[in-house]
Amino acid sequence: MSALNLYHDPDCIFCKIIAKKIPSRVVYEDEEIFAFHDINPWAPVHFLLIPKMHLSSMAQVGTEHGALLGRMMALVPKLALEQGCNPYPEGGYRLVSNTGREGGQEVQHLHFHVMGGPRPWLRG
Ligand code: 5GP
Ligand code: ZN
């Protein structure tokens, strides 16, 4: 949408994935939000949900991002089921956003891991 002025970091791997300069297995895309399968899955279902605008992490999120994050969170139940997570409560999924070095964050573009499917998982 041309009205959206989305900031992209040219050195960011997830910005390159959004721009399709790096291929990924796309789960979902709209004007503001992108989701794709993790290249190194921990669980039978493991995808990443990211804003198209470059925010480095949850640490950069403020009240001005509330609508965007609300939309992202509201997509999780739908996408999780579509991707093969089993229904709550027997199924479900794990929703994680690693933040900063001590939070275990490796890619500095805000992302939510959605992991689910039958146990055991590789990790987590
Ligand atoms: P973090 O540790 O930052 O929370 O998670 C980053 C995630 O991004 C990791 O699970 C990693 O496997 C995934 N990842 C890193 N590079 C790529 C890539 O080029 N493509 C995809 N699909 N996932 C990636
Ligand atoms: Zn980025």
Side-chain angles (χ1 to χ4, degrees), residues 24-29 34-37 47-48 79 82-83:
S24 69
R25 288 172 54 220
V26 179
V27 166
Y28 176 85
E29 178 170 15
F34 196 82
F36 57 104
H37 289 279
F47 63 90
L48 303 172
L79 297 182
E82 281 177 7
Q83 293 305 314

Side-chain angles (χ1 to χ4, degrees), residues 13-14 17 22-25 36-42 46 48 96-100 103-109 111-113 115 123:
I13 189 166
F14 284 181
I17 286 174
I22 294 175
S24 69
R25 288 172 54 220
F36 57 104
H37 289 279
D38 197 295
I39 203 166
N40 193 12
W42 291 22
H46 187 172
L48 303 172
V96 173
S97 187
N98 299 323
T99 305
Q105 183 181 7
E106 290 178 2
V107 176
Q108 307 304 312
H109 182 126
H111 54 279
F112 295 95
H113 295 258
M115 292 167 277
R123 295 165 75 185

Side-chain angles (χ1 to χ4, degrees), residues 27-28 33-35 45 47-50 68-86 92-96 111-116:
V27 166
Y28 176 85
I33 297 168
F34 196 82
V45 177
F47 63 90
L48 303 172
L49 185 64
I50 67 178
L68 171 62
L69 263 70
R71 289 197 56 236
M72 292 176 73
M73 293 300 98
L75 275 169
V76 169
K78 177 177 177 287
L79 297 182
L81 289 177
E82 281 177 7
Q83 293 305 314
C85 293
N86 292 310
Y93 40 84
R94 180 171 289 181
L95 178 63
V96 173
H111 54 279
F112 295 95
H113 295 258
V114 182
M115 292 167 277

Side-chain angles (χ1 to χ4, degrees), residues 7-16 18 50-56 107-110:
Y7 171 68
H8 291 173
D9 178 342
D11 297 323
C12 169
I13 189 166
F14 284 181
C15 284
K16 289 178 187 167
I18 292 163
I50 67 178
K52 284 191 171 177
M53 74 179 292
H54 180 89
L55 290 167
S56 297
V107 176
Q108 307 304 312
H109 182 126
L110 172 62

